[in-house]
mmCIF file of all heavy atoms in Angstrom:
data_model
loop_
_atom_site.group_PDB
_atom_site.id
_atom_site.type_symbol
_atom_site.label_atom_id
_atom_site.label_comp_id
_atom_site.label_asym_id
_atom_site.label_seq_id
_atom_site.Cartn_x
_atom_site.Cartn_y
_atom_site.Cartn_z
ATOM 1 N N ASP A 497 120.912 74.075 112.000
ATOM 2 C CA ASP A 497 120.623 75.511 112.099
ATOM 3 C C ASP A 497 121.413 76.001 113.303
ATOM 4 O O ASP A 497 121.172 75.554 114.422
ATOM 5 C CB ASP A 497 119.114 75.706 112.276
ATOM 6 C CG ASP A 497 118.684 77.170 112.171
ATOM 7 O OD1 ASP A 497 119.551 78.067 112.238
ATOM 8 O OD2 ASP A 497 117.465 77.397 112.041
ATOM 9 N N ASP A 508 123.366 83.564 112.328
ATOM 10 C CA ASP A 508 122.286 82.585 112.182
ATOM 11 C C ASP A 508 122.354 82.014 110.770
ATOM 12 O O ASP A 508 122.223 82.767 109.800
ATOM 13 C CB ASP A 508 120.937 83.276 112.420
ATOM 14 C CG ASP A 508 119.759 82.308 112.380
ATOM 15 O OD1 ASP A 508 119.985 81.087 112.400
ATOM 16 O OD2 ASP A 508 118.605 82.801 112.332
ATOM 17 N N CYS A 509 122.614 80.705 110.661
ATOM 18 C CA CYS A 509 122.755 80.058 109.356
ATOM 19 C C CYS A 509 122.141 78.670 109.430
ATOM 20 O O CYS A 509 122.067 78.083 110.504
ATOM 21 C CB CYS A 509 124.227 79.887 108.981
ATOM 22 S SG CYS A 509 125.263 81.303 109.363
ATOM 23 N N THR A 510 121.731 78.150 108.272
ATOM 24 C CA THR A 510 121.257 76.769 108.213
ATOM 25 C C THR A 510 121.815 76.093 106.966
ATOM 26 O O THR A 510 121.831 76.708 105.887
ATOM 27 C CB THR A 510 119.712 76.690 108.121
ATOM 28 O OG1 THR A 510 119.136 77.410 109.198
ATOM 29 C CG2 THR A 510 119.232 75.242 108.172
ATOM 30 N N HIS A 572 114.377 87.114 108.921
ATOM 31 C CA HIS A 572 114.237 88.038 110.057
ATOM 32 C C HIS A 572 115.544 88.781 110.243
ATOM 33 O O HIS A 572 116.598 88.322 109.794
ATOM 34 C CB HIS A 572 113.901 87.242 111.327
ATOM 35 C CG HIS A 572 114.876 86.123 111.621
ATOM 36 N ND1 HIS A 572 116.054 86.335 112.307
ATOM 37 C CD2 HIS A 572 114.885 84.805 111.277
ATOM 38 C CE1 HIS A 572 116.708 85.177 112.388
ATOM 39 N NE2 HIS A 572 116.032 84.239 111.761
ATOM 40 N N VAL A 574 118.788 90.193 112.403
ATOM 41 C CA VAL A 574 119.691 89.571 113.383
ATOM 42 C C VAL A 574 120.615 90.656 113.929
ATOM 43 O O VAL A 574 121.043 91.542 113.177
ATOM 44 C CB VAL A 574 120.545 88.466 112.715
ATOM 45 C CG1 VAL A 574 121.555 87.881 113.694
ATOM 46 C CG2 VAL A 574 119.662 87.359 112.143
ATOM 47 N N VAL A 578 118.844 87.164 118.209
ATOM 48 C CA VAL A 578 118.867 86.376 116.972
ATOM 49 C C VAL A 578 117.599 86.617 116.147
ATOM 50 O O VAL A 578 117.615 86.438 114.929
ATOM 51 C CB VAL A 578 119.113 84.885 117.267
ATOM 52 C CG1 VAL A 578 117.900 84.206 117.884
ATOM 53 C CG2 VAL A 578 119.556 84.165 116.000
ATOM 54 N N HIS A 579 116.526 87.030 116.804
ATOM 55 C CA HIS A 579 115.324 87.421 116.064
ATOM 56 C C HIS A 579 115.002 88.861 116.415
ATOM 57 O O HIS A 579 114.599 89.153 117.539
ATOM 58 C CB HIS A 579 114.119 86.541 116.421
ATOM 59 C CG HIS A 579 114.250 85.146 115.897
ATOM 60 N ND1 HIS A 579 114.308 84.049 116.726
ATOM 61 C CD2 HIS A 579 114.349 84.661 114.643
ATOM 62 C CE1 HIS A 579 114.444 82.957 115.987
ATOM 63 N NE2 HIS A 579 114.473 83.301 114.721
ATOM 64 N N THR A 600 118.256 87.357 107.678
ATOM 65 C CA THR A 600 118.437 86.004 107.177
ATOM 66 C C THR A 600 117.511 85.798 105.991
ATOM 67 O O THR A 600 116.486 86.475 105.865
ATOM 68 C CB THR A 600 118.069 84.943 108.229
ATOM 69 O OG1 THR A 600 116.654 84.997 108.471
ATOM 70 C CG2 THR A 600 118.820 85.164 109.527
ATOM 71 N N GLU A 602 115.813 82.351 104.539
ATOM 72 C CA GLU A 602 115.781 80.959 104.943
ATOM 73 C C GLU A 602 114.493 80.218 104.586
ATOM 74 O O GLU A 602 113.772 79.737 105.455
ATOM 75 C CB GLU A 602 116.019 80.844 106.447
ATOM 76 C CG GLU A 602 115.139 81.748 107.311
ATOM 77 C CD GLU A 602 115.398 81.529 108.814
ATOM 78 O OE1 GLU A 602 115.424 80.368 109.241
ATOM 79 O OE2 GLU A 602 115.600 82.524 109.531
ATOM 80 N N GLU A 616 119.709 78.651 104.853
ATOM 81 C CA GLU A 616 119.654 79.982 105.458
ATOM 82 C C GLU A 616 121.009 80.664 105.362
ATOM 83 O O GLU A 616 122.017 80.127 105.815
ATOM 84 C CB GLU A 616 119.256 79.859 106.938
ATOM 85 C CG GLU A 616 119.277 81.181 107.699
ATOM 86 C CD GLU A 616 118.840 81.040 109.154
ATOM 87 O OE1 GLU A 616 119.063 79.967 109.756
ATOM 88 O OE2 GLU A 616 118.282 82.013 109.699
HETATM 89 ZN ZN1 ZN B 714 116.865 82.318 111.271
#
Side-chain angles (χ1 to χ4, degrees):
D497 189 345
D508 184 12
C509 318
T510 305
H572 54 85
V574 176
V578 73
H579 290 117
T600 67
E602 51 178 312
E616 175 178 31

